[in-house]
Amino acid sequence: VLNVSDYWPEYLYVSGTVKRSSLLYRIFESLTNLTQRSAARIVILWPGLRQGIEARIKSPPPVELIYNAVDLDKFHPERDAGDFRARHNLGTARLVTFLGVLGPHIDLDTMLVAAARFKDRDDVRFLFVGAGAQKAALDAALATPDLAHCVAIDWLDSAEIPEFWAASHVHFWALHHNELDKMRFQAKLYEALASGTPTVIGVDGLMSEVLGRTETGITVPPGDADSLAHEIARLLDDAEHHQRISRNARAYAEANFNVQTAVDAYETVLQSVAQ
């Protein structure tokens, strides 16, 4: 049973990492096709992954959709974040945060333009957590006066992640526009929703549809720094709006991302293959 959790190998050329005609890509694609074609069953984490598999493989094995899950006891809105703030010297300002890999898929320029709009607000601080290809560019940008209200730290220990979400008043990120990102449901959304942390994302597609339909987060068009900043400000300044999004997010996670539901679904697949 093969678990497919992302758009590999297609994302390598869509993100501009390698050319589709390169030897490296063709080797990777051949290995991916071999493993997927040889599987008794394939499990995917969101619907769009099925299209990539079917485009590369004729008559693939049966494909099952099982959404990911999140520990609803570990990630929840009532968790205290005081120790986390103290350890990282974050003060008392409300935090607008980013957590993740700073890879080529992230539209860092749009995020920084949006963050700079809050340079004169003493009640807001931006926190970037993570590393990746754009980390040096982030560090250089944060050394400028317009982003003096922003701070970056490297990866956190996994034990700190629930506290990170509890400390986050708003979480944000922006993605470059491409067809694969339109079909993704990024993993950190599970934790954000369970923690009741409102998110603002520069993206269109699956995440935009789900968050908009359920009122569990906000999305803006890719590359639109003005709208990104506007929606962050609205969540900071409209307490009722923030609370509504937070409640909806937690309720959606409880209804859709329960660990036991995912475990039962995987067990059904494994039993079917074993029999």
Side-chain angles (χ1 to χ4, degrees), residues 27-77:
I27 291 172
F28 194 13
E29 183 180 45
S30 296
L31 290 171
T32 303
N33 291 348
L34 176 63
T35 57
Q36 292 180 354
R37 190 179 293 113
S38 303
R41 195 73 52 87
I42 294 176
V43 174
I44 57 174
L45 294 188
W46 57 79
L49 290 167
R50 187 190 308 269
Q51 300 173 24
I53 294 168
E54 292 177 346
R56 285 182 285 98
I57 303 173
K58 295 180 180 179
S59 302
V63 178
E64 304 282 348
L65 170 63
I66 302 177
Y67 282 102
N68 214 329
V70 63
D71 188 333
L72 296 168
D73 294 325
K74 183 181 294 184
F75 296 90
H76 58 80

Side-chain angles (χ1 to χ4, degrees), residues 198-202 211-212 216-220 231-232 234-235 241 245:
T199 55
V200 183
I201 314 170
L211 296 181
T216 53
I218 300 163
T219 60
V220 302
E231 294 298 344
I232 292 171
R234 185 181 175 202
L235 284 166
H241 176 56
I245 296 292

